[in-house]
Amino acid sequence: MEQLFNHIQGYNKLSVESIEALTDSFEEVVYSKNDFLLQAGQVCRHLYFIKNGAVRGYYIMDNKEVTYWFGFENDFVTSFHSFITGQASVENIQFVEGSILWKISKEKLDHLLNRYHEIERLLRIAYEKYYIRLEERFVNAQFKTAAERYENLTQQSPHILERIPLGFIAAYLGISQETLSRIRNQF
């Protein structure tokens, strides 16, 4: 849990009482490569923190998998819409590597948010970071060429290229695997 709290303290300093309350509320879980954290149609009832490993978020469109985000160490992951609204998810979250996570249920988190203002602030900051990543992803998809999206990926997130299969990267960039191979040869 030390990794989780070191990461959290980077967002917002927490009191000893808040840290103890969080410690009592999180549970460690282990998943294997290709396991699902969540499948479309399920309700997401937990927020997760990745201790180690990698996941991808994707949905199915016209019988094709469209990967639109990746999560790695020190990322909070969940199906945010499902987690917040209690509605069924339209996305799938699948492990790309064997992973260890810390999870907290929506009910426990809501209880902590009502009791500790500093935890509420922490969650707000985490949601803001998620929103910024989502907006950056939208801007990249709408206003940049495939080559520009790949170059941006190599500069801002080179670890993705080292840890994620090329087929998932191509789907993430919104291009075919063949187009990705041509672009990679240009760099």
Side-chain angles (χ1 to χ4, degrees), residues 32-96:
S32 298
K33 180 179 179 177
N34 296 324
D35 283 351
F36 283 89
L37 184 65
L38 180 75
Q39 292 184 289
Q42 296 176 326
V43 175
C44 187
R45 301 190 190 285
H46 292 87
L47 176 66
Y48 300 86
F49 175 81
I50 302 176
K51 179 178 178 182
N52 63 40
V55 300
R56 72 179 178 120
Y58 73 95
Y59 58 92
I60 306 292
M61 183 174 183
D62 299 328
N63 293 322
K64 287 177 47 180
E65 292 181 2
V66 180
T67 297
Y68 68 101
W69 64 267
F70 299 107
F72 299 94
E73 289 81 8
N74 298 323
D75 282 337
F76 285 100
V77 296
T78 192
S79 174
F80 280 97
H81 185 270
S82 178
F83 181 72
I84 293 168
T85 65
Q87 296 176 0
S89 174
V90 296
E91 71 182 308
N92 300 281
I93 302 175
Q94 184 180 33
F95 291 93
V96 181

Side-chain angles (χ1 to χ4, degrees), residues 25 35 44 56 61 78 92 98 117 122 126 134 149 166 182:
S25 299
D35 283 351
C44 187
R56 72 179 178 120
M61 183 174 183
T78 192
N92 300 281
H117 175 70
L122 169 71
L134 190 63
R149 291 191 304 269
L166 290 179
R182 283 194 300 275

